[in-house]
Amino acid sequence: MPAPDNENGDVATLMGALGRGARAAARRVGTAPAEQRDRALAAMAVALRERAPAILAANRQDLADGQAAGLAASFIDRLALDDARLEAIAQAVADIAALPDPVGRVLASWTQPNGLFFERVATPLGVVAVIFESRPNVTADAGALCLKSGNVAILRAGSDSFRTSSEIAAAMQDGLAAAGLPREAIQLVPSRDRAAVGEILKGLDGTIDVVVPRGGKSLVARVQKEARVPVFAHLDGNCHVYVHAAAELDMAQEILLNAKLRRTGVCGAAETLLVDEICAATHLQPLVTALLDEGCAVRGDEATLAVDPRVTPASEEDWRTEYLDRIIAVKVVAGLDAAIAHIETYGSHHTDAIVTADEAAAARFLVEVDSAIVLHNASTQFADGGEFGFGAEIGIATGRMHARGPVGVEQLCSFKYRVHGRGQVRP
């Protein structure tokens, strides 16, 4: 990997070289045995642990710069590493190595009347470019998931996590080299120049197969607007918790507080609470009070304003807002149909949950809410590839391509058809 923070030379030339290196590596990695890819992942986990002092020192520098620049607390939380978080990153890489090999899986097979035998077989996508901001763990997660699925990765870190991500990427490349795979299989863009993003979105002369943005709304909007290659992305995570008429109050409160406050800066954090009017008399005030007492600002409709003087009025914009902060919008709705309609109108098709003991109501919610992830009696903060058993995720996709929800190793595969004959020719 070129020296970190290399601002010398023409960005287009630099990025072109990265793309050509990635494409050449993709041919080797895509046909490498699963055992070799797994050895590389195991070596990466070891290298991350061995490099812990350097990684954490780089992170302290990034944190100091971020705090001096006035980054929001939610961004600082995403950026910060400590011994426990770094160990979790290393363990996630090791866990990915233990996942079943997704490459070469026979997805379907059949025989036609003429005797031709068809197989649909999983294959790597090729070169995956990941553009991210303040989460340095994406460097390890994305690199490991791409390698496990036979892909290579070009990673573009934000300037706020650049030092940390550079150290993590170096550890990942050490793991590749230890297993005899090309270091170019995981490359961190060695420049903070914003022009590098533009070059990625152009496709690097056809060397990039898919782009995955991990960051704020402005970044994702730019990627979706300018990309000339396919994109796996979500624009924002305006997630809802709907407390149905048949919800048990204690369960609803526990789920709500976790969904909103466990980590406010993640895309699966709940941003709107909907309470059924049938249970509002018994449920609304305890839920709102619990939020307020935990230091969460509440912006509510007329019914919510009436339960506590600390509630402030919600505007139309609040129903559409991904706060990523200790703020939530609260509304009383006239039943299941109204809750589903509200989510369809204001939601972002990311993650939405219903709390209820009514199985029929839950079944309707799970079918009719058109989000990538829908939950019954569980926190929206389970919107995470690790929690799905994917080992980790490269991002959350809310579109309707084959990759939807947490993008793990299976979603990073395409397929091809293998056709076996005995000399057949077409009449």
Side-chain angles (χ1 to χ4, degrees):
M1 184 175 72
D5 212 9
N6 175 15
E7 305 295 347
N8 297 320
D10 179 70
V11 172
T13 301
L14 170 69
M15 296 304 297
L18 254 68
R20 290 189 295 275
R23 179 55 65 189
R27 289 192 289 271
R28 289 184 57 189
V29 171
T31 57
E35 182 274 335
Q36 186 179 19
R37 288 182 273 121
D38 289 343
R39 277 195 289 113
L41 290 165
M44 289 173 186
V46 171
L48 285 166
R49 292 177 173 119
E50 290 178 345
R51 282 182 174 263
I55 294 170
L56 293 175
N59 188 247
R60 286 192 292 272
Q61 288 183 286
D62 284 337
L63 283 171
D65 287 351
Q67 290 162 344
L71 286 182
S74 59
F75 280 89
I76 293 295
D77 177 61
R78 292 181 181 194
L79 174 59
L81 293 182
D82 55 21
D83 289 333
R85 284 190 178 184
L86 185 53
E87 172 57 29
I89 290 171
Q91 188 58 51
V93 172
D95 290 344
I96 290 169
L99 294 173
D101 181 22
V103 180
R105 289 173 299 128
V106 177
L107 306 174
S109 63
W110 65 96
T111 302
Q112 287 290 87
N114 63 4
L116 287 177
F117 177 61
F118 291 77
E119 295 177 296
R120 185 185 301 128
V121 181
T123 59
L125 289 171
V127 178
V128 181
V130 185
I131 304 170
F132 60 100
E133 291 178 335
S134 56
R135 289 182 182 272
N137 65 291
V138 176
T139 311
D141 289 350
L145 287 167
C146 285
L147 181 63
K148 180 69 182 185
S149 52
N151 297 292
V152 305
I154 294 176
L155 309 171
R156 203 284 181 174
S159 58
D160 49 356
S161 63
F162 187 81
R163 295 187 187 90
T164 311
S165 296
S166 296
E167 290 291 341
I168 292 174
M172 303 296 280
Q173 290 190 324
D174 288 348
L176 288 165
L181 289 172
R183 299 178 75 90
E184 292 82 5
I186 298 174
Q187 299 181 87
L188 187 86
V189 175
S191 172
R192 302 178 197 240
D193 195 320
R194 291 177 179 270
V197 174
E199 294 300 320
I200 289 172
L201 298 183
K202 293 175 187 176
L204 298 185
D205 296 322
T207 60
I208 291 178
D209 295 291
V210 65
V211 174
V212 183
R214 288 285 301 267
K217 194 169 184 175
S218 61
L219 168 65
V220 179
R222 179 190 176 188
V223 170
Q224 292 179 329
K225 179 180 179 181
E226 298 181 18
R228 299 180 187 173
V229 293
V231 175
F232 294 160
H234 71 272
L235 193 59
D236 53 17
N238 187 12
C239 306
H240 298 74
V241 172
Y242 168 47
V243 177
H244 179 255
E248 196 274 318
L249 178 57
D250 288 344
M251 178 189 290
Q253 181 171 312
E254 186 172 6
I255 288 173
L256 172 64
L257 293 179
N258 183 269
K260 175 68 252 185
L261 299 175
R262 173 187 165 270
R263 289 188 70 180
T264 58
V266 299
C267 59
E271 307 292 14
T272 298
L273 166 65
L274 303 175
V275 178
D276 198 296
E277 64 180 8
I278 293 176
C279 68
T282 54
H283 288 36
L284 181 61
Q285 184 170 11
L287 294 174
V288 170
T289 300
L291 287 164
L292 291 164
D293 288 350
E294 289 292 331
C296 181
V298 175
R299 300 176 183 177
D301 64 355
E302 186 175 346
T304 307
L305 286 167
V307 305
D308 195 295
R310 294 173 289 177
V311 178
T312 58
S315 67
E316 177 73 8
E317 187 60 27
D318 283 308
W319 310 126
R320 303 183 186 277
T321 299
E322 180 187 30
Y323 299 109
L324 298 175
D325 202 350
R326 298 178 80 85
I327 307 169
I328 193 168
V330 181
K331 184 177 185 179
V332 174
V333 293
L336 179 59
D337 288 333
I340 293 172
H342 181 99
I343 293 169
E344 177 63 27
T345 301
Y346 298 104
S348 59
H349 305 290
H350 190 293
T351 301
D352 299 292
I354 182 173
V355 183
T356 184
D358 185 334
E359 294 292 337
R364 273 198 60 203
F365 185 93
L366 297 179
V367 168
E368 296 182 30
V369 172
D370 183 26
S371 295
I373 304 168
V374 285
L375 305 103
H376 174 208
N377 290 345
S379 168
T380 58
Q381 299 239 354
F382 284 107
D384 176 88
E387 296 299 325
F388 275 56
F390 294 173
E393 68 182 40
I394 202 169
I396 301 284
T398 56
R400 291 175 178 81
M401 296 175 66
H402 80 282
R404 199 175 192 208
V407 179
V409 292
E410 291 187 11
Q411 292 74 30
L412 288 171
C413 289
S414 181
F415 60 84
K416 67 180 179 183
Y417 291 98
R418 296 194 302 223
V419 185
H420 306 269
R422 300 188 306 277
Q424 289 95 328
V425 295
R426 186 169 177 178

